[in-house]
Amino acid sequence: MAAPSSGPVTTLAWRGDAHVGHVVLLDQTRLPDEEVELEVHSAAEMIAAIRCLAVRGAPALGVAGAYGLVLALRELAGRAAQHLELVRARAAELAAARPTAVNLPAALARVRARAERELAAGADARALREALLAEARALEAEERAASEAMGRHGAELLADGAGVLTHCNAGALCTVGLGTALAPLYVAARQGKRLRVYADETRPLFQGARLTAWELARAGLEVTVLVDGAAGHLLARGAVQAVVVGADRIARNGDVANKVGTYPLAVLARRHGVPFYVVAPCTTLDPACPNGAAIPIEERDAREVTHPRGIATAPHGVRAFNPAFDVTPAELVSALVCERGVVHAPNEVRLAALLARAPAP
Ligand code: MRU
C-alpha cells in the first residue's frame, strides 16, 4: 500500500485494537524510490521485517519487537500455563532477530515481564492482549518523548552555520519520533539555525544516502551525501564542526556500537579536533555489558557487499567481510547526548550516575 508522501514520517504504528489490530511499517528497503506501507500481522512477519531491515535503527527495533510480541498473542490457545510458554518463546525469537541493538531484547524483556505479572494475577487471553498493547504503547510514547528531549539537549551543542557530519540513519526512520542523532538537527533548524549537513552514504546498505538524505530533504534541511571514504578529506578541509551519530548499544564503560564506519569517523574527528557526539536514549545503554568487546556484532550476508542494490561489484565467488556494526572506544566520544542531558567524556562512573538520576520531566 502506498504511504502518504508528506507530513511527519511514521516509521511504525499499531493500527486497531489489541485483538484484531496489526502493525504498519514504512518499508525502509523501498526508500527512497517508493513510500510503501508494510502490514505486519504476526510475530513471524515482524521477525522477517526486522531481519530484512524494513524496520531498523535501535529505538524503532525496540518498539517493533514490543508490538511483535503483542501480535504473537494471536496464537494464544489453551491454558494460562501455555500462554506464558508462548510469550517466553516468541520473546526469545524476536530478540534474536538482530543481535546488536540492545533496545530489541530490552523492550522484549519489559513486555515479557508485564505478561508474567498479568498472568500471575490471573489475566485471561483478552486481558493479556490489552495489557501488553498498553505496555508497547507506553514504550512508544517514551521513545517519542526521548527523541524530543535529545533534540533539545543536542541542539545546544550546534552553532548556527556549523557543518555537521553524520553516518547511517539516526533520524525519524530509526525511532518513533524525531530521531536520535538527527533530532538535534531538526530542533536546531526549528530554532532558525542554518546547518550544512553531510551524510555518509553508509556502505553497504546506504542508510545515509537512501534514508538520511530522504528524510532531511523532506523536512527541508540542506544535505550533501558523500561516499564514506570522503569523510577524511571533508574533515581535513575544515568543513565539519561536529560529528553526530546514533548508537545501537552503549556498554557500561561508554564504548559505543554503531553502524560500521562509525569508529573510523571517531578517529578522524579526534585527529582533526572536531567533537564527536553520540546521541542515544537511555534504552540504548546496557549496564550489563562491561565493554565494547562484549557487544555482539552482527555479521550479514556477503552479498550485501559484493552485490550492493543487486549489482555485482566484485568477482563471482569472492569472499566478503560484512560486519553491520563497529565499536568506538569511549575515549573517542566527546559527549553522549540522551534524554536526561549531556554527559561529557562518558565513562563508567558518569554513565552509572546518569542512570541513577531521575528521568527528565
Ligand atoms: O543496520 P541498521 O540500519 O539498523 O543500523 C542502524 C544504526 O547503526 C543506527 O546508527 C543506530 O541504530 C542508531 S540510530 C538510533
Side-chain angles (χ1 to χ4, degrees), residues 7-361:
V9 174
T10 303
T11 304
L12 77 155
W14 180 274
R15 292 249 173 94
D17 68 14
H19 312 289
V20 291
H22 61 274
V23 176
V24 177
L25 305 174
L26 178 57
D27 184 348
Q28 298 189 33
T29 65
R30 310 278 285 271
L31 289 172
D33 307 326
E34 295 176 295
E35 291 175 45
V36 176
E37 280 185 348
L38 181 67
E39 288 190 1
V40 180
H41 293 270
S42 66
E45 286 177 14
M46 185 60 87
I47 289 170
I50 290 172
R51 288 205 176 122
C52 78
L53 274 57
V55 59
R56 45 149 297 283
L61 286 174
V63 178
Y67 282 136
L69 197 51
V70 181
L71 291 171
L73 302 184
R74 296 276 167 75
E75 301 169 50
L76 287 181
R79 290 177 300 110
Q82 291 158 334
H83 295 177
L84 188 55
E85 236 169 74
L86 177 92
V87 166
R88 287 185 174 154
R90 294 294 172 271
E93 289 160 16
L94 282 155
R98 292 193 76 193
T100 303
V102 73
N103 301 62
L104 181 58
L108 285 157
R110 169 176 168 168
V111 180
R112 191 193 59 211
R114 173 77 182 261
E116 287 167 359
R117 289 197 304 277
E118 296 292 333
L119 287 168
D124 61 9
R126 194 172 173 80
L128 186 63
R129 280 196 285 265
E130 284 169 8
L132 295 209
L133 179 60
E135 193 70 35
R137 282 196 194 282
L139 173 68
E140 179 184 339
E142 286 161 25
E143 290 292 4
R144 186 167 288 114
S147 272
E148 274 295 326
M150 287 185 283
R152 282 198 310 277
H153 297 307
E156 288 172 25
L157 301 170
L158 303 174
D160 187 23
V164 182
L165 174 61
T166 189
H167 190 69
C168 192
N169 172 264
L173 290 167
C174 83
T175 59
V176 285
L178 280 184
T180 59
L182 298 190
L185 310 191
Y186 288 126
V187 172
R190 271 191 224 153
Q191 294 168 342
K193 291 181 188 166
R194 288 149 307 135
L195 303 174
R196 283 171 291 107
V197 185
Y198 297 96
D200 277 354
E201 64 176 1
T202 315
R203 293 248 165 174
L205 296 180
F206 300 97
Q207 289 94 330
R210 292 191 303 109
L211 308 179
T212 295
W214 177 81
E215 67 162 87
L216 289 176
R218 175 184 165 118
L221 274 75
E222 184 194 310
V223 57
T224 302
V225 174
L226 56 146
V227 298
D228 299 354
H233 183 60
L234 189 73
L235 279 147
R237 280 170 50 152
V240 176
Q241 282 66 52
V243 177
V244 293
V245 297
D248 288 86
R249 189 185 298 235
I250 301 175
R252 191 163 68 222
N253 73 341
D255 290 351
V256 175
N258 191 50
K259 177 55 53 191
V260 69
T262 299
Y263 170 43
L265 266 194
V267 174
L268 281 168
R270 178 60 53 93
R271 168 75 177 81
H272 292 284
V274 169
F276 179 86
Y277 299 126
V278 174
V279 187
C282 289
T283 47
T284 301
L285 292 168
D286 183 4
C289 179
N291 54 48
I295 299 176
I297 299 294
E298 177 182 8
E299 291 207 15
R300 294 183 60 87
D301 193 331
R303 280 184 66 87
E304 290 180 353
V305 175
T306 57
H307 292 68
R309 308 291 281 161
I311 298 165
T313 56
H316 179 71
V318 75
R319 282 196 298 271
F321 176 48
N322 189 18
F325 302 96
D326 61 21
V327 174
T328 299
E331 66 189 88
L332 295 178
V333 178
S334 310
L336 166 69
V337 179
C338 72
E339 67 272 38
R340 297 184 187 185
V342 178
V343 182
H344 293 278
N347 59 22
E348 187 152 348
V349 173
R350 293 187 181 121
L351 291 183
L354 172 80
L355 287 178
R357 239 165 49 207

